[in-house]
Amino acid sequence: MESIAVWQGATLGGIVAWIVISSYLNVTRKLRSFLQPWVAHHVIAGTPLIFQIQKYQHWFFDALFSGLSCVVSVPFYTAFLPLLFWSGHGRLARQMTLLMAFCDYLGNTIKDVVSAPRPSSPPVRRITATKDEEDNALEYGLPSSHTLNTVCLSGYLLHYVLSYIQYEDVSMKFVGLALVCLFVGLIGLGRIYLGMHSLIDIIGGLVIGLVILAFWLTVHEHVNNFIVSGQNVTFFWAALSILLFFAYPTPEIPTPSFEYHTAFNGVAFGIVSGIQQTYHQFHHEAVPRIFTPQLTISNFVGRMLVGIPTILLVKFCSKALAKWILPGVSNTLGIPIKSTNYIPTLNGNGKKSDESKQSGYIQRLFFSQQGSFDVDTGIRFIQYAGLAWSVVDLVPSLFSHLSL
């Protein structure tokens, strides 16, 4: 118990020390002044390659690469991961969820530290087929999040499948690796074809993704053991979530990156706290898995019909509850508050204030540059934490009562 408290305290203390030191030394600005001109030069130098690729413009390629981008987007994983939990592969689902949150945080942190531009459009032809792609285009370029996430998640999925099925055939491992490489290559090529990234962004996403994947494959067993059987898990993860808000860097101009991180930070906390409470009930290794007599396709369809509306309802209720509670608590404590999106009446004129969406290191959690409490961050965090908790706690309880 004492050793656990020591490493948890050391971890949280190390993050606090980094927040203070990096803020005092202005690390973000110094790194940006060093990296941004170099990356921007390569973005401009890579424009002719984009033109060469876009010379093969065709409606089929537009549809193919736009579809692939949707398949590896954050909304897709948000919809896919709950189904993975309910299919009985809880270990894979929680590992991929936490890995996705880790990738999202590191990728967006690097984006906002470097604050490097995307290829200029025009002259580059940019295709944004969905609202999600339009929002992605507002982020900075390096690294390509789609490439980074694809490397990590498809690589980890391959590792899990080979370990689960226990293939010893080298040829099967080679085929799996080749398929992953092909998929990653298509995603990278598609990001260039769609005008969303330059070659330097793709290379950056590939290299950073490989580093993250190698690190995760080293620690994932320890992370899993801590979540399912550790001590002080919920408290530690709550403190970690709060400190990660503080540690997030300030970009040159506000982008949606911080909002994405907030959402996945909430998802990670909801998953961890829910698993910690219900592991031995719903998420242990002996639970029924899909395609077995204990969990048939019809039962799984029933789970989806029950689960998806439930988590959407919880997400809506969590948001409404947070919008009602957080301003009241803040006013009671005498903390000045404002809202950039969710509560227009707190913004004076009711308009969004882009300048207050993201702030400095020490004010990162909820405070804007004017010293006000930006409740949107807390609302978004609670909303997605509630959604994730319902995926691993509330909905499996319903399955149990309904014999699904």
Side-chain angles (χ1 to χ4, degrees):
M1 177 67 180
E2 189 172 325
S3 62
I4 293 174
V6 169
W7 79 256
Q8 290 180 355
T11 300
L12 299 178
I15 298 175
V16 171
W18 163 252
I19 292 170
V20 174
I21 293 172
S22 59
S23 179
Y24 179 76
L25 298 179
N26 210 354
V27 171
T28 296
R29 184 169 297 179
K30 291 177 180 177
L31 285 174
R32 183 178 300 143
S33 64
F34 175 71
L35 294 172
Q36 188 187 67
W38 182 82
V39 176
H41 168 74
H42 282 80
V43 171
I44 296 172
T47 302
L49 175 63
I50 301 176
F51 290 149
Q52 285 293 112
I53 293 175
Q54 291 188 340
K55 280 172 57 178
Y56 298 96
Q57 174 185 342
H58 191 275
W59 66 265
F60 174 77
F61 293 133
D62 291 357
L64 172 65
F65 291 127
S66 294
L68 286 175
S69 294
C70 291
V71 167
V72 297
S73 65
V74 170
F76 171 81
Y77 287 121
T78 304
F80 169 72
L81 290 172
L83 303 183
L84 199 57
F85 275 106
W86 303 336
S87 72
H89 292 277
R91 183 187 185 92
L92 174 62
R94 60 180 173 267
Q95 287 290 340
M96 289 191 69
T97 301
L98 295 179
L99 178 56
M100 180 70 187
F102 189 45
C103 291
D104 182 79
Y105 186 83
L106 287 184
N108 287 337
T109 292
I110 296 171
K111 279 180 185 287
D112 285 350
V113 166
V114 180
S115 295
R118 291 179 182 268
S120 181
S121 175
V124 168
R125 172 176 173 262
R126 180 171 295 162
I127 302 173
T128 52
T130 64
K131 178 63 169 62
D132 181 59
E133 279 288 81
E134 292 176 3
D135 292 339
N136 288 337
L138 299 177
E139 295 183 290
Y140 290 109
L142 181 84
S144 165
S145 297
H146 283 71
T147 305
L148 189 157
N149 294 341
T150 304
V151 169
C152 289
L153 296 178
S154 61
Y156 188 80
L157 180 60
L158 174 64
H159 167 79
Y160 178 85
V161 169
L162 294 177
S163 301
Y164 178 71
I165 304 178
Q166 295 184 337
Y167 270 125
E168 298 296 335
D169 190 349
V170 176
S171 62
M172 292 302 298
K173 296 181 179 180
F174 177 79
V175 170
L177 181 60
L179 289 175
V180 168
C181 292
L182 176 62
F183 187 45
V184 171
L186 286 174
I187 293 299
L189 177 62
R191 302 311 287 167
I192 297 177
Y193 175 87
L194 296 173
M196 296 292 289
H197 286 285
S198 58
L199 181 62
I200 187 67
D201 302 334
I202 305 301
I203 294 174
L206 178 63
V207 172
I208 296 170
L210 289 173
V211 171
I212 293 176
L213 177 60
F215 172 76
W216 193 258
L217 291 176
T218 302
V219 304
H220 71 113
E221 290 290 350
H222 301 290
V223 173
N224 184 70
N225 292 336
F226 173 66
I227 293 172
V228 302
S229 60
Q231 297 175 335
N232 302 324
V233 176
T234 301
F235 174 79
F236 170 78
W237 212 277
L240 178 66
S241 299
I242 293 173
L243 290 179
L244 289 179
F245 284 123
F246 279 101
Y248 195 86
T250 305
E252 278 192 334
I253 60 173
T255 72
S257 295
F258 181 65
E259 297 176 7
Y260 296 154
H261 153 63
T262 301
F264 255 97
N265 198 0
V267 166
F269 175 70
I271 292 295
V272 169
S273 58
I275 292 291
Q276 171 71 10
Q277 297 298 319
T278 63
Y279 175 73
H280 295 290
Q281 293 173 270
F282 307 125
H283 304 289
H284 54 87
E285 294 301 311
V287 297
R289 289 176 174 169
I290 194 170
F291 304 127
T292 64
Q294 294 78 26
L295 183 55
T296 62
I297 292 294
S298 59
N299 283 345
F300 183 67
V301 171
R303 288 188 171 194
M304 289 193 293
L305 294 176
V306 171
I308 292 175
T310 301
I311 65 174
L312 293 177
L313 178 62
V314 170
K315 179 183 177 184
F316 172 81
C317 293
S318 298
K319 181 178 180 180
L321 189 64
K323 289 170 66 175
W324 176 61
I325 291 178
L326 287 182
V329 171
S330 301
N331 289 329
T332 301
L333 297 176
I335 301 174
I337 57 175
K338 66 163 50 183
S339 171
T340 56
N341 281 299
Y342 293 143
I343 311 176
T345 55
L346 295 179
N347 221 16
N349 57 8
K351 297 181 180 179
K352 297 178 183 179
S353 175
D354 286 340
E355 290 78 8
S356 63
K357 279 188 179 179
Q358 297 178 319
S359 55
Y361 281 96
I362 305 302
Q363 296 176 318
R364 173 58 56 196
L365 178 54
F366 294 115
F367 294 93
S368 72
Q369 292 173 344
Q370 289 75 31
S372 324
F373 183 86
D374 189 353
V375 294
D376 283 13
T377 300
I379 292 170
R380 188 174 294 109
F381 178 82
I382 293 173
Q383 174 187 5
Y384 282 92
L387 181 149
W389 165 81
S390 69
V391 167
V392 297
D393 194 334
L394 175 62
V395 171
S397 298
L398 294 178
F399 293 161
S400 179
H401 287 299
L402 297 173
S403 300
L404 289 174

